[in-house]
Amino acid sequence: MNGYVRKEGQKFLWLGKRSPTKPTYPGMLDHLVAGGLPHGIPCGENMMKECEEEAGIPIFISRKVEPVGAISYTDINGQRIKRDVLFCYDLELPEGFVPNNHDGEVESFRLIPVPHVATLIRTTNFFKRNCTLVIIDFLFRHGYICPEYGGYLKLLQSLRSGDFS
């Protein structure tokens, strides 16, 4: 989930830094909130649960989360092939809100201007790989990546290149 704030005429994204004890992608930057979808729990309900656990977002705020689409991709790592679908959500947070992790999976949070987040994605490997896909989708939907950008259609198409089945 992209948790964002509007302040001083611009948008900022809250990012989490994964705990160094996480078995996957320790210490890397990640969304404000993310998590697997347990069987039998609707996506929106699970998102509100994850909001509370991972960022201390109370239900009166998290119930405003907006489903904004899905991303599909195929991850090939050596002999392992993994197809995945990520359900994407945006949540505009109050300017004064500060996340607080409750499940030990996040070391810290940072509020970063969206253009700076885009630069970090382009120029570093600080982010968990599939996290960048959801943020790039946010950049498209909020006008930070425009049709004038070289490779616009190819990049947009790549966000839905996997199998949705």
mmCIF file of all heavy atoms in Angstrom, residues 2 13 22 30 37 49 67 89 92 96 98 134 136 141 143 149:
data_model
loop_
_atom_site.group_PDB
_atom_site.id
_atom_site.type_symbol
_atom_site.label_atom_id
_atom_site.label_comp_id
_atom_site.label_asym_id
_atom_site.label_seq_id
_atom_site.Cartn_x
_atom_site.Cartn_y
_atom_site.Cartn_z
ATOM 1 N N ASN A 2 0.539 2.159 -0.864
ATOM 2 C CA ASN A 2 1.212 3.443 -0.895
ATOM 3 C C ASN A 2 0.514 4.363 0.095
ATOM 4 O O ASN A 2 -0.631 4.743 -0.114
ATOM 5 C CB ASN A 2 1.125 4.061 -2.300
ATOM 6 C CG ASN A 2 1.843 3.220 -3.322
ATOM 7 O OD1 ASN A 2 3.037 3.010 -3.229
ATOM 8 N ND2 ASN A 2 1.103 2.715 -4.294
ATOM 9 N N LEU A 13 5.713 10.156 0.181
ATOM 10 C CA LEU A 13 5.381 8.754 0.456
ATOM 11 C C LEU A 13 6.050 8.324 1.755
ATOM 12 O O LEU A 13 7.225 8.633 1.997
ATOM 13 C CB LEU A 13 5.898 7.846 -0.655
ATOM 14 C CG LEU A 13 5.031 7.663 -1.885
ATOM 15 C CD1 LEU A 13 5.790 6.903 -2.969
ATOM 16 C CD2 LEU A 13 3.748 6.929 -1.544
ATOM 17 N N LYS A 22 14.465 -9.780 9.229
ATOM 18 C CA LYS A 22 13.549 -10.403 8.260
ATOM 19 C C LYS A 22 14.339 -11.410 7.422
ATOM 20 O O LYS A 22 15.443 -11.114 6.963
ATOM 21 C CB LYS A 22 12.939 -9.360 7.323
ATOM 22 C CG LYS A 22 11.926 -8.431 7.933
ATOM 23 C CD LYS A 22 10.564 -9.022 8.051
ATOM 24 C CE LYS A 22 9.916 -9.250 6.712
ATOM 25 N NZ LYS A 22 8.616 -9.894 6.824
ATOM 26 N N ASP A 30 10.704 -0.550 1.699
ATOM 27 C CA ASP A 30 9.474 -1.242 1.335
ATOM 28 C C ASP A 30 8.315 -0.258 1.437
ATOM 29 O O ASP A 30 8.489 0.882 1.869
ATOM 30 C CB ASP A 30 9.263 -2.418 2.297
ATOM 31 C CG ASP A 30 8.393 -3.532 1.738
ATOM 32 O OD1 ASP A 30 7.683 -3.314 0.735
ATOM 33 O OD2 ASP A 30 8.404 -4.626 2.334
ATOM 34 N N LEU A 37 -1.856 -12.414 1.460
ATOM 35 C CA LEU A 37 -3.313 -12.488 1.573
ATOM 36 C C LEU A 37 -3.703 -13.883 2.047
ATOM 37 O O LEU A 37 -3.656 -14.852 1.283
ATOM 38 C CB LEU A 37 -3.962 -12.185 0.220
ATOM 39 C CG LEU A 37 -5.486 -12.204 0.175
ATOM 40 C CD1 LEU A 37 -6.080 -11.168 1.124
ATOM 41 C CD2 LEU A 37 -5.964 -11.952 -1.252
ATOM 42 N N LYS A 49 -6.183 -4.828 8.434
ATOM 43 C CA LYS A 49 -5.456 -5.570 9.479
ATOM 44 C C LYS A 49 -3.966 -5.283 9.391
ATOM 45 O O LYS A 49 -3.308 -4.995 10.393
ATOM 46 C CB LYS A 49 -5.728 -7.068 9.326
ATOM 47 C CG LYS A 49 -4.938 -7.959 10.279
ATOM 48 C CD LYS A 49 -5.149 -9.432 9.985
ATOM 49 C CE LYS A 49 -4.396 -9.955 8.813
ATOM 50 N NZ LYS A 49 -2.945 -10.005 8.906
ATOM 51 N N PRO A 67 -8.666 0.807 -3.228
ATOM 52 C CA PRO A 67 -8.103 -0.173 -4.159
ATOM 53 C C PRO A 67 -7.897 0.518 -5.507
ATOM 54 O O PRO A 67 -8.798 1.163 -6.022
ATOM 55 C CB PRO A 67 -9.169 -1.259 -4.225
ATOM 56 C CG PRO A 67 -10.436 -0.603 -3.787
ATOM 57 C CD PRO A 67 -10.061 0.553 -2.906
ATOM 58 N N TYR A 89 -3.067 -0.562 -3.407
ATOM 59 C CA TYR A 89 -3.922 0.330 -2.635
ATOM 60 C C TYR A 89 -3.184 1.631 -2.398
ATOM 61 O O TYR A 89 -1.959 1.649 -2.262
ATOM 62 C CB TYR A 89 -4.268 -0.287 -1.272
ATOM 63 C CG TYR A 89 -5.174 -1.475 -1.350
ATOM 64 C CD1 TYR A 89 -4.675 -2.739 -1.602
ATOM 65 C CD2 TYR A 89 -6.541 -1.324 -1.168
ATOM 66 C CE1 TYR A 89 -5.519 -3.838 -1.680
ATOM 67 C CE2 TYR A 89 -7.396 -2.413 -1.242
ATOM 68 C CZ TYR A 89 -6.874 -3.664 -1.496
ATOM 69 O OH TYR A 89 -7.714 -4.746 -1.575
ATOM 70 N N GLU A 92 -4.363 8.122 1.488
ATOM 71 C CA GLU A 92 -3.888 9.459 1.845
ATOM 72 C C GLU A 92 -4.015 9.600 3.354
ATOM 73 O O GLU A 92 -5.090 9.424 3.927
ATOM 74 C CB GLU A 92 -4.687 10.549 1.134
ATOM 75 C CG GLU A 92 -4.139 11.920 1.426
ATOM 76 C CD GLU A 92 -4.757 13.023 0.581
ATOM 77 O OE1 GLU A 92 -5.553 12.732 -0.321
ATOM 78 O OE2 GLU A 92 -4.403 14.196 0.851
ATOM 79 N N GLY A 96 -0.135 15.031 9.929
ATOM 80 C CA GLY A 96 0.552 14.806 11.196
ATOM 81 C C GLY A 96 0.708 13.348 11.601
ATOM 82 O O GLY A 96 1.318 13.047 12.629
ATOM 83 N N VAL A 98 2.138 9.745 12.061
ATOM 84 C CA VAL A 98 3.458 9.116 12.048
ATOM 85 C C VAL A 98 3.256 7.623 12.300
ATOM 86 O O VAL A 98 2.684 7.244 13.328
ATOM 87 C CB VAL A 98 4.384 9.720 13.125
ATOM 88 C CG1 VAL A 98 5.735 9.006 13.140
ATOM 89 C CG2 VAL A 98 4.577 11.216 12.891
ATOM 90 N N VAL A 134 4.930 -1.434 -7.483
ATOM 91 C CA VAL A 134 3.744 -0.767 -6.941
ATOM 92 C C VAL A 134 3.971 0.739 -6.861
ATOM 93 O O VAL A 134 3.066 1.527 -7.150
ATOM 94 C CB VAL A 134 3.361 -1.370 -5.567
ATOM 95 C CG1 VAL A 134 2.193 -0.627 -4.950
ATOM 96 C CG2 VAL A 134 3.037 -2.853 -5.719
ATOM 97 N N ILE A 136 6.024 2.452 -8.857
ATOM 98 C CA ILE A 136 6.005 2.939 -10.250
ATOM 99 C C ILE A 136 4.566 3.106 -10.721
ATOM 100 O O ILE A 136 4.222 4.087 -11.380
ATOM 101 C CB ILE A 136 6.821 2.010 -11.171
ATOM 102 C CG1 ILE A 136 8.322 2.156 -10.850
ATOM 103 C CG2 ILE A 136 6.550 2.310 -12.642
ATOM 104 C CD1 ILE A 136 9.200 1.097 -11.493
ATOM 105 N N ARG A 141 -0.080 6.829 -11.984
ATOM 106 C CA ARG A 141 -1.433 7.286 -11.650
ATOM 107 C C ARG A 141 -1.472 8.702 -11.081
ATOM 108 O O ARG A 141 -2.487 9.381 -11.187
ATOM 109 C CB ARG A 141 -2.095 6.308 -10.676
ATOM 110 C CG ARG A 141 -2.425 4.972 -11.304
ATOM 111 C CD ARG A 141 -3.123 4.014 -10.369
ATOM 112 N NE ARG A 141 -2.268 3.567 -9.260
ATOM 113 C CZ ARG A 141 -2.239 4.103 -8.040
ATOM 114 N NH1 ARG A 141 -3.049 5.086 -7.723
ATOM 115 N NH2 ARG A 141 -1.420 3.636 -7.112
ATOM 116 N N GLY A 143 0.698 11.128 -12.019
ATOM 117 C CA GLY A 143 1.247 12.077 -12.989
ATOM 118 C C GLY A 143 2.734 12.345 -12.904
ATOM 119 O O GLY A 143 3.228 13.287 -13.523
ATOM 120 N N TYR A 149 7.598 10.703 -21.414
ATOM 121 C CA TYR A 149 8.743 9.960 -20.902
ATOM 122 C C TYR A 149 9.097 8.854 -21.896
ATOM 123 O O TYR A 149 8.225 8.099 -22.326
ATOM 124 C CB TYR A 149 8.384 9.378 -19.534
ATOM 125 C CG TYR A 149 9.370 8.390 -18.971
ATOM 126 C CD1 TYR A 149 10.555 8.819 -18.386
ATOM 127 C CD2 TYR A 149 9.114 7.025 -19.009
ATOM 128 C CE1 TYR A 149 11.449 7.926 -17.862
ATOM 129 C CE2 TYR A 149 10.004 6.117 -18.483
ATOM 130 C CZ TYR A 149 11.173 6.567 -17.916
ATOM 131 O OH TYR A 149 12.068 5.666 -17.395
#
